[in-house]
Amino acid sequence: MIFAKKAMLAAAGVAMLASAVVNAETIEVKGQGVKFAPEVIHAKVGDVISFRNMATHFVESVEGMWPEGAPKMLSAMGADYDYAVEKEGVYVFKCPPHWGARMGAVMVVGEPADLDATVAKYLEVAESVKEAKPAKGLLKKFKESGK
């Protein structure tokens, strides 16, 4: 009896995972000059963010502007890179060599209940942490875009 319940739960979990994979999308982000295109991304858990045209770029998470427990982004210089989204939330990432020119992007995954509070917290980080300062303009652009 216990084995049957465990087997049913496992089958249900596999079915849910398969459903998420079937509904997953690949969202392409390109390095164009010293910008990511697009700069504002809306994704779902299970989607893959596909970085292309990265000849003089790489991608890295912005510290303090990342959902807790979500895997960090870090690619090699000049390499295409795929990031599988595992967790709902607000993500800010950058191209470190071009971060001074504000080369970064904001990604919202799912529909986080605390979206406005998270953006406000990230803006505070941008004000107080020198390394995060370039994110301020991206976050303002994101807020103005109507989310």
Side-chain angles (χ1 to χ4, degrees):
M1 187 76 117
I2 292 173
F3 177 75
K5 284 183 182 179
K6 286 184 179 179
M8 285 175 44
L9 287 173
V14 168
M16 285 175 37
L17 183 59
S19 173
V21 169
V22 168
N23 293 324
E25 293 182 39
T26 298
I27 299 168
E28 189 171 89
V29 177
K30 290 185 176 182
Q32 295 181 336
V34 290
K35 298 268 184 226
F36 285 119
E39 289 182 310
V40 175
I41 302 159
H42 294 275
K44 303 179 305 293
V45 170
D47 285 352
V48 173
I49 311 306
S50 179
F51 293 88
R52 298 296 180 258
N53 196 32
M54 299 292 287
T56 60
H57 309 295
F58 70 100
V59 64
E60 180 178 41
S61 312
V62 174
E63 197 63 41
M65 298 184 183
W66 207 254
E68 188 174 326
K72 302 285 186 181
M73 281 186 186
L74 181 60
S75 71
M77 175 66 99
D80 289 346
Y81 175 67
D82 292 332
Y83 179 83
V85 179
E86 296 179 11
K87 188 169 182 172
E88 189 171 85
V90 180
Y91 298 68
V92 180
F93 56 88
K94 64 184 177 181
C95 172
H98 302 113
W99 189 223
R102 311 298 189 259
M103 185 173 182
V106 177
M107 177 171 69
V108 177
V109 176
E111 296 183 25
D114 59 348
L115 181 62
D116 290 333
T118 299
V119 172
K121 177 184 153 204
Y122 288 4
L123 282 167
E124 287 176 17
V125 171
E127 286 290 335
S128 61
V129 178
K130 183 180 179 183
E131 177 59 30
K133 194 171 227 49
K136 187 176 178 180
L138 289 168
L139 291 163
K140 285 185 175 184
K141 191 181 291 188
F142 168 72
K143 283 179 71 171
E144 291 167 1
S145 75
K147 303 163 196 158

